[in-house]
């Protein structure tokens, strides 16, 4: 038996298999991986889905052609009750299992014939609408997740700067990484960046905004690793500089920090080993600083992006401008990041309040007359 590059199985004459069950499962996973590669999905997505299926295999200790809906329900019952898995985790597992079952049970791929020949049965779909979680709302983040208040954000930035100064004054190692991470916090907020977008920034990604020359050569940043759509490469966008302090932060880092970590290189934020900064590295420092300040555990790295959108809307920036800065196709997506009402509701409230005030003033003037 062989699996082609599109995931289809071909039966060929060969010697009997020593472990037919295990080899069949491995070939199924190989074929499924090929099928997903043909769909142009990211390698990380494919690898994660394969791991999900492998974990289900280990849990049930059963092969795909013997799976039943009852096994699925027991597995996810344990995930929720014993492991307290999040909604998104549950749905990720279920999506992977559903797609895998669809692949191995599709007659076009031939696994039904292979299993009938080898084991006297065939794989079938075991996940349905009635035993899987449905994605019925856009925002499924934990209710503890939120944006920084401006006071909290200033406290974080000040504390990060203080730590850089303390490490430098003590002569201990770690001055440059602390300085780098402090700048990364500020740049993530300054442009509303996701971590992946932030870590891939290079020195050549900044340019002058001809309509805001006061920002110099750091008036706009070209984000090249935006969140991709399914089967597509990373989405590009340009984000305009809006805070007058941002160019100074970037220029100072390019003079005193970046050349020491990535001498002659283009990466804006390199690790001590010359590689891109890992999320876990930045997250550890972020969490430590938040703990030092007694900030809410609901604040995370993504809260810097939430804060950017929220603070711009609160300060009266046009919602459409904020939407484009964030790289969102729909205003409803931007609204998920903010604690501010949508533009329509905001205008409706403002009009109602203005009308109430105008009516009250007119009544008072009439009474005085």
């Amino acid at each position: 038996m062989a699996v082609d590059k599109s995931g289809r199985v071909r039966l060929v004459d060969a010697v009997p298999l020593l472990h037919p069950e295990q080899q069949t499962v491995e070939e199924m996973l190989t074929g499924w991986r090929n099928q997903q590669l043909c769909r142009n999905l990211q390698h990380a997505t494919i690898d994660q889905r394969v791991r999900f299926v492998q974990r289900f295999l280990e849990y049930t200790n059963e092969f795909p052609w013997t799976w039943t809906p009852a096994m699925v329900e027991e597995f996810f019952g344990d995930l929720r009750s014993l492991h307290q898995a999040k909604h998104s985790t549950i749905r990720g597992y279920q999506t992977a299992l559903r797609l895998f079952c669809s692949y191995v049970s599709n007659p076009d791929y031939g696994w039904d014939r292979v299993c009938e020949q080898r084991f006297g049965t065939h794989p079938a779909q075991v996940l349905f609408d009635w035993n899987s979680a449905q994605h019925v709302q856009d925002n499924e983040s934990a209710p503890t997740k939120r944006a920084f208040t401006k006071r909290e954000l200033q406290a974080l930035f000040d504390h990060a700067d203080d730590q850089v100064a303390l490490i430098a004054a003590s002569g201990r190692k770690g001055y440059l990484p602390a300085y780098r991470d402090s700048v990364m916090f500020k740049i993530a907020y300054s442009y509303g960046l996701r971590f992946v977008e932030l870590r891939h920034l290079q020195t050549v990604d900044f340019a002058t905004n001809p309509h805001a020359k006061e920002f110099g050569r750091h008036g706009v940043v070209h984000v090249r690793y935006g969140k991709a759509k399914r089967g597509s490469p990373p989405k590009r966008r340009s984000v305009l500089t809006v805070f007058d302090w941002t160019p100074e932060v970037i220029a100072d880092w390019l003079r005193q920090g970046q050349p020491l970590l990535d001498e002659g290189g283009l990466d804006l934020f390199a690790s001590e080993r010359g590689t891109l900064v890992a999320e876990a590295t930045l997250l550890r420092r972020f969490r430590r600083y938040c703990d030092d300040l007694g900030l809410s555990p609901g604040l995370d790295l993504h809260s810097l992006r939430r804060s950017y959108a929220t603070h711009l809307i609160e300060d009266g920036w046009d919602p459409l401008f904020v939407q484009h800065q964030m790289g969102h196709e729909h205003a409803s997506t931007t609204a998920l990041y903010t604690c501010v009402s949508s533009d329509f509701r905001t205008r409706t409230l403002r009009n109602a309040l203005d009308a109430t005030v105008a009516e009250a003033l007119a009544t008072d003037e009439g009474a005085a007359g």
Side-chain angles (χ1 to χ4, degrees), residues 21 32 36 67 74 76 79 82 86 112 115 120 147 175 182 189 216 228 238 250 275 278 294 322 338 343 346:
E21 294 88 353
W32 187 44
Q36 294 180 91
W67 287 350
E74 181 181 354
F76 287 106
L79 271 186
L82 299 180
K86 298 178 180 179
D112 54 342
C115 292
Y175 159 75
S182 173
Y189 171 71
S238 294
I250 300 171
T275 59
V322 179
T338 70
D343 187 42
T346 301

Side-chain angles (χ1 to χ4, degrees), residues 54-190:
Q54 289 172 332
R55 181 173 177 182
F56 186 71
L57 283 164
E58 294 170 1
Y59 177 88
T60 61
N61 199 29
E62 296 283 349
F63 299 110
W65 48 92
T66 63
W67 287 350
T68 65
M71 295 176 185
V72 168
E73 291 149 18
E74 181 181 354
F75 174 71
F76 287 106
D78 283 354
L79 271 186
R80 290 205 61 192
S81 59
L82 299 180
H83 301 284
Q84 306 297 314
K86 298 178 180 179
H87 290 80
S88 57
T89 301
I90 293 290
R91 208 173 54 253
Y93 270 105
Q94 291 179 349
T95 297
L97 284 174
R98 182 184 289 108
L99 292 173
F100 177 74
C101 288
S102 295
Y103 164 70
V104 295
S105 62
N106 190 326
D108 288 343
Y109 292 104
W111 292 110
D112 54 342
R113 299 186 296 277
V114 171
C115 292
E116 285 283 0
Q117 178 181 334
R118 292 180 177 177
F119 315 116
T121 186
H122 58 83
Q125 180 61 263
V126 293
L127 271 143
F128 308 93
D129 288 345
W130 44 265
N131 70 342
S132 59
Q134 303 300 305
H135 191 187
V136 296
Q137 65 182 28
D138 294 329
N139 186 13
E140 292 189 343
S141 62
T144 56
K145 302 299 182 184
R146 64 172 176 86
F148 284 88
T149 66
K150 291 183 178 180
R151 180 175 296 180
E152 289 172 335
L153 190 68
Q154 189 62 57
L156 174 67
F157 290 166
D158 289 344
H159 186 65
D161 289 342
D162 291 343
Q163 292 303 304
V164 175
L166 285 173
I167 296 173
S170 68
R172 292 184 287 116
K173 292 183 178 180
Y175 159 75
L176 272 176
Y179 181 24
R180 175 201 64 209
D181 294 352
S182 173
V183 175
M184 290 184 77
F185 295 150
K186 295 171 186 174
I187 299 306
Y189 171 71
S190 290

